[in-house]
Amino acid sequence: MDDDIEGLGPYQERPRTFPNMRNKSHAPLLFRALMRINVRVLLVLLLLCAGAIFYVGASTSPIIVFVFSVCIASFFLSIYLTKWVLLKDEGPPEMSQISDAIRDGAEGFFRTQYGTISKMALLLGLAILGIYLFRTTTPQQEASGIGRSTSAYITVIAFLFGALCSGIAGYVGMWVSVRANVRVSSAARRSAREALQVAVRAGGFSALVVVGMAVMGVAILYASFYVWLGVDSPGRMKSVDLPLLLVGYGFGASFVALFAQLGGGIYTKAADVGADLVGKVEQGIPEDDPRNPAVIADLVGDNVGDCAARGADLFESIAAEIISAMILGGTMAQRCKIEDPSGFILFPLVVHSFDLIISSFGIFSIRTKRESGVIGATEDPMEILQKGYSVTVVLAVLTFGLSTRWLLYTEQAPSAWLNFALCGLVGIITAYIFVWITKYYTDYKHEPVRTLALASSTGHGTNIIAGVSLGLESTALPVLVISVSIVSAFWLGRTSGLVDDTGNPTGGLFGTAVATMGMLSTAAYVLTMDMFGPIADNAGGIVEMSQQPESVREITDVLDAVGNTTKATTKGFAIGSAALASFLLFSAYMDEVAALSNVPFKQVDIAIPEVFVGGLLGSMLIFLFSAWACSAVGRTAQEVVNEVRRQFIERPGIMDYKEKPDYGRCVSIVASASLREMIKPGALAIISPTVIGFVFRILGYYTGQPLLGAKVVAAMLMFATVSGILMALFLNTAGGAWDNAKKYIETGALGGKGSDCHKAAITGDTVGDPFKDTAGPSLHVLIKMLATITLVMAPIFL
């Protein structure tokens, strides 16, 4: 790759020609194998697979058939969006050459990174198999004839399937971004609205595929296990117990998402920090300037960190929420002796099927002026995206009410469905408020970011102080909103009229689960807004590197600033949903421990010293993980800074366009370093709960406390969730605010680009980079992964 870059001839003769690094295909093996198959044969295979899926679905429930139909329709719609985006022109040759270099770097890193992750997943799968072959079976499993070996193989299959689907979701997110970026750049030469539409539809393609795969994967596993195990047949497993077998799917998705977020986050922010510190601050050249040796690595990082990792992240969020809600729905239906529990179990799948439908309306509501007939001044891109989100939210309220009436109506409590519909409304409102709060703290149209920008005028130190205080303050409102939503949803569910044999209300936890589903009922559109950000960022980089007119760069700068805000809002959305989903998984964990031990396990007493220590260890885990993630970015960025400085010293002609930078060297540095650095924090997250639970289990055995290991892990999970939510809110919001304070100054405020105020803002932005794109996003994945791993590894703690 380096030879290709160096063999382009004198830089001054070809100032607009860039490295063509596409020397081999970097597509994953699965995709390369599919591309080698004859089209007709592939079509026949797909039809056979679809027929088998619908046959299994029809043998399970008509609800599953509905879910399959909507998911497949969404896949066809995503194909239409792909063709629409790819039909757009790529602009002049210099744009496509830069895009090819970015694409090659992104696909090459993706292949290497996911090759490493897949090997680790296989090793962990073998470990899970060994644990489950020696685990204690539950009374329900013994009654249904499911032995240890069957349970072990089911869990491992679910784990590997979840990991595979999560990896595909990440690849889809990256695949579209590296092809859409140059088309957005080209569209920006014509109009801002067209560029916005191309970016949104590219993000919409990824969102529909990711959400559709998450729903389809759970539905396929549920239906397959239902048919294979003969569920609901005499003497066999009951459908209310089946969702517990799907936990491995959520764990597999979390495992891949965590390492994808860590590796991608380290890559993108190390390259970004290195490029900014030397290029902007030391050399005084603009962002994404072609003279900066780290610029290609920076643009590659947007795709592997913000697109591939975020696709896997949201996939994991939806999968974990669906499975936990199915578990709680089945448990409640069993306690209430509901005759047909399928509605309560499959309700999450239907909600997210409607999510695909309503988000499609939101995506298509963003059109060009020619299509919509709007004539007049240019609209604010953020307002256009907000209008699409408002359309999606209104439709979500309507479809959620329809879903609850269809599936949650029962003769035992005729008005229960209305209470659960209100729980869903609580979740939808919570999501909307979360988006608004994050936008307020990170958009430079509002006071907090402008105050932060003003602090830059008095130096680097005051910028850092103002950013830290803004991030700390920004945790208050989201926590209050989450608290109100959890309590409100719990009491709405509790007063639904559903009671157990003893007359005790049982709908509280399921009400919270329904609120979580409500919060994620617009997930596809939210992911669309999130994908919009890195695509717009890449488009701006391509425009700058290809030296397009300033008017084009102004359009992409506006889209980039909006993209920073949308990325921050979707991270806030993800944190809120992670808090609710972790609460559900924690409840499922306690039920699992009670089932395995045949001892009631309804509360955790932190007055017990060992249990309190478990809580402290959980909080410590969050801080240590964040520290390792940030330090990984710092160490890698130092390597990039040293390399960029070396090139500017050894190749002085770079600044005069007389020598070409060695882009490939920086790409190689960040790629190898990010793969190396992601292992330590990832291993900490996986090993810690298992070791803590096992050690305290041994201690409990010798001190006569049989459930001590499970109690300590429960405390660890509680404290880690609380600490992790607060830390993630702080990191994400502070980082986003620092970034947009810099963007605000670059619009010409407070001295504009190149001023001392701008340099101070760049320092704040570089501090915030690992906060918002590495440690922060990784934390909310960590929170959910801790919950799923404790659920899967529960037998070790007993």
Side-chain angles (χ1 to χ4, degrees):
M1 184 171 68
D2 293 347
D3 294 338
D4 292 339
I5 294 171
E6 292 302 316
L8 289 169
Y11 192 37
Q12 64 269 31
E13 295 177 10
R14 306 177 69 181
R16 288 178 142 206
T17 302
F18 297 90
N20 182 4
M21 302 191 291
R22 299 199 60 74
N23 45 24
K24 63 179 179 178
S25 172
H26 288 298
L29 179 62
L30 175 63
F31 289 89
R32 282 184 284 141
L34 290 174
M35 287 188 286
R36 291 195 184 103
I37 301 175
N38 181 275
V39 176
R40 292 182 179 178
V41 174
L42 184 61
L43 182 61
V44 171
L45 289 175
L46 289 174
L47 288 174
L48 288 174
C49 289
I53 288 171
F54 275 103
Y55 172 78
V56 173
S59 303
T60 305
S61 169
I63 301 172
I64 294 290
V65 174
F66 169 78
V67 171
F68 285 158
S69 301
V70 173
C71 290
I72 290 174
S74 74
F75 293 151
F76 280 111
L77 182 59
S78 66
I79 292 172
Y80 165 77
L81 289 174
T82 308
K83 289 186 174 180
W84 187 92
V85 171
L86 295 181
L87 284 174
K88 295 291 182 180
D89 69 280
E90 295 187 0
E94 59 268 19
M95 280 189 173
S96 58
Q97 288 168 359
I98 298 165
S99 176
D100 285 346
I102 296 169
R103 187 186 312 170
D104 185 77
E107 291 182 347
F109 176 74
F110 182 93
R111 183 181 180 186
T112 306
Q113 180 192 28
Y114 275 73
T116 304
I117 293 173
S118 63
K119 292 172 186 175
M120 293 189 294
L122 288 173
L123 289 175
L124 186 56
L126 291 174
I128 293 172
L129 180 65
I131 291 169
Y132 269 66
L133 285 175
F134 297 98
R135 68 171 282 180
T136 304
T137 55
T138 65
Q140 293 89 340
Q141 290 173 335
E142 292 175 356
S144 59
I146 296 180
R148 292 179 180 177
S149 60
T150 303
S151 175
Y153 289 121
I154 285 175
T155 304
V156 172
I157 289 170
F159 170 77
L160 295 177
F161 187 55
L164 174 65
C165 290
S166 183
I168 294 173
Y171 182 72
V172 165
M174 187 270 299
W175 185 91
V176 68
S177 67
V178 296
R179 287 160 177 80
N181 52 16
V182 68
R183 291 167 171 84
V184 175
S185 302
S186 180
R189 298 181 304 147
R190 294 183 289 273
S191 75
R193 188 72 180 245
E194 183 183 350
L196 172 68
Q197 187 186 26
V198 174
V200 168
R201 291 198 172 185
F205 157 75
S206 178
L208 292 177
V209 171
V210 168
V211 176
M213 280 185 55
V215 177
M216 191 90 164
V218 175
I220 287 174
L221 277 183
Y222 180 89
S224 300
F225 291 161
Y226 188 97
V227 173
W228 176 28
L229 300 174
V231 175
D232 285 337
S233 300
R236 307 304 294 270
M237 173 179 274
K238 300 298 180 185
S239 59
V240 293
D241 299 319
L242 182 55
L244 276 171
L245 298 180
L246 308 179
V247 172
Y249 182 84
F251 182 33
S254 299
F255 176 82
V256 171
L258 180 67
F259 281 98
Q261 191 68 69
L262 277 171
I266 293 167
Y267 188 115
T268 183
K269 290 302 105 181
D272 194 5
V273 169
D276 282 355
L277 285 178
V278 183
K280 285 184 178 181
V281 178
E282 296 181 7
Q283 299 296 329
I285 58 178
E287 185 171 3
D288 300 326
D289 191 287
R291 292 170 289 179
N292 194 324
V295 67
I296 290 291
D298 184 11
L299 296 174
V300 168
D302 291 335
N303 295 285
V304 299
D306 288 335
C307 291
R310 199 77 74 247
D313 179 0
L314 197 63
F315 177 94
E316 177 268 338
S317 294
I318 295 169
E321 176 266 326
I322 288 175
I323 293 169
S324 58
M326 291 175 75
I327 292 171
L328 293 175
T331 301
M332 188 191 70
Q334 185 179 34
R335 289 175 180 171
C336 297
K337 299 293 189 292
I338 294 174
E339 187 175 346
D340 182 12
S342 61
F344 289 85
I345 296 171
L346 301 178
F347 179 67
L349 296 173
V350 172
V351 168
H352 286 292
S353 298
F354 277 119
D355 171 21
L356 292 168
I357 297 172
I358 63 176
S359 294
S360 300
F361 280 99
I363 293 166
F364 281 96
S365 69
I366 298 173
R367 297 172 292 176
T368 61
K369 290 184 179 181
R370 184 177 303 173
E371 288 176 298
S372 61
V374 176
I375 299 173
T378 303
E379 295 179 78
D380 178 6
M382 192 67 207
E383 291 182 4
I384 297 171
L385 293 173
Q386 284 285 81
K387 287 178 183 176
Y389 182 55
S390 298
V391 168
T392 308
V393 166
V394 170
L395 292 175
V397 173
L398 298 176
T399 55
F400 208 95
L402 175 65
S403 302
T404 51
R405 180 63 181 83
W406 173 25
L407 297 174
L408 303 185
Y409 177 82
T410 173
E411 295 292 342
Q412 293 174 234
S415 63
W417 72 271
L418 183 58
N419 281 51
F420 291 128
L422 292 175
C423 291
L425 182 62
V426 168
I428 293 170
I429 293 172
T430 300
Y432 195 87
I433 294 174
F434 250 84
V435 169
W436 183 88
I437 290 172
T438 313
K439 179 175 175 290
Y440 173 74
Y441 277 108
T442 57
D443 192 337
Y444 64 62
K445 294 182 179 64
H446 301 291
E447 182 183 357
V449 174
R450 296 199 174 201
T451 303
L452 175 57
L454 184 61
S456 304
S457 62
T458 52
H460 301 250
T462 49
N463 171 279
I464 301 300
I465 293 169
V468 170
S469 62
L470 185 151
L472 293 171
E473 179 188 317
S474 69
T475 62
L477 286 177
V479 168
L480 291 175
V481 171
I482 291 173
S483 303
V484 170
S485 64
I486 289 176
V487 174
S488 300
F490 183 86
W491 283 102
L492 281 169
R494 188 176 178 84
T495 57
S496 62
L498 290 171
V499 295
D500 59 15
D501 291 337
T502 61
N504 293 320
T506 59
L509 282 177
F510 188 68
T512 309
V514 173
T516 309
M517 286 180 268
M519 190 168 186
L520 285 169
S521 63
T522 57
Y525 188 85
V526 171
L527 181 58
T528 299
M529 291 198 298
D530 188 73
M531 291 293 184
F532 164 84
I535 292 172
D537 191 359
N538 251 214
I542 292 172
V543 166
E544 181 69 35
M545 284 198 71
S546 59
Q547 301 166 14
Q548 298 300 310
E550 187 64 28
S551 59
V552 181
R553 180 66 197 189
E554 287 174 1
I555 289 174
T556 56
D557 278 347
V558 171
L559 295 179
D560 186 15
V562 171
N564 283 335
T565 303
T566 59
K567 285 191 292 183
T569 55
T570 49
K571 287 169 190 170
F573 173 90
I575 294 168
S577 63
L580 294 176
S582 298
F583 178 71
L584 304 182
L585 288 167
F586 180 75
S587 302
Y589 166 74
M590 296 183 75
D591 288 342
E592 173 78 348
V593 170
L596 288 169
S597 62
N598 292 319
V599 177
F601 188 49
K602 296 185 178 297
Q603 58 188 8
V604 179
D605 185 0
I606 62 171
I608 299 173
E610 295 90 344
V611 176
F612 183 73
V613 168
L616 287 178
L617 292 173
S619 296
M620 177 272 292
L621 174 63
I622 296 299
F623 283 82
L624 185 59
F625 177 88
S626 302
W628 284 359
C630 289
S631 64
V633 174
R635 283 191 298 270
T636 309
Q638 287 174 19
E639 295 183 43
V640 177
V641 167
N642 290 333
E643 172 60 24
V644 175
R645 284 174 177 168
R646 182 191 67 79
Q647 291 197 35
F648 277 125
I649 293 170
E650 296 180 3
R651 302 185 182 190
I654 288 176
M655 290 300 293
D656 300 323
Y657 296 95
K658 293 178 181 178
E659 290 184 84
K660 179 173 288 298
D662 184 357
Y663 302 108
R665 179 60 184 154
C666 289
V667 171
S668 299
I669 287 172
V670 291
S672 59
S674 58
L675 291 174
R676 180 180 67 248
E677 296 284 357
M678 74 177 185
I679 302 298
K680 189 166 75 168
L684 175 72
I686 295 170
I687 295 171
S688 295
T690 306
V691 171
I692 290 170
F694 184 74
V695 168
F696 279 95
R697 172 194 174 180
I698 301 299
L699 182 63
Y701 175 79
Y702 286 106
T703 58
Q705 303 176 74
L707 290 182
L708 183 62
K711 290 177 181 178
V712 169
V713 169
M716 182 210 72
L717 188 57
M718 269 195 303
F719 280 61
T721 300
V722 172
S723 302
I725 290 167
L726 292 171
M727 179 68 85
L729 285 169
F730 161 69
L731 295 174
N732 285 333
T733 310
W738 267 315
D739 195 350
N740 270 351
K742 179 196 69 176
K743 295 289 184 188
Y744 175 61
I745 294 171
E746 289 174 350
T747 62
L750 302 172
K753 294 181 180 180
S755 64
D756 289 340
C757 185
H758 184 227
K759 291 179 180 178
I762 292 171
T763 300
D765 182 32
T766 54
V767 171
D769 276 339
F771 283 18
K772 67 183 175 67
D773 286 321
T774 306
S778 298
L779 273 178
H780 59 75
V781 179
L782 172 67
I783 292 167
K784 288 170 287 186
M785 199 190 78
L786 288 175
T788 53
I789 196 173
T790 52
L791 197 53
V792 171
M793 300 294 186
I796 296 180
F797 312 144
L798 301 174

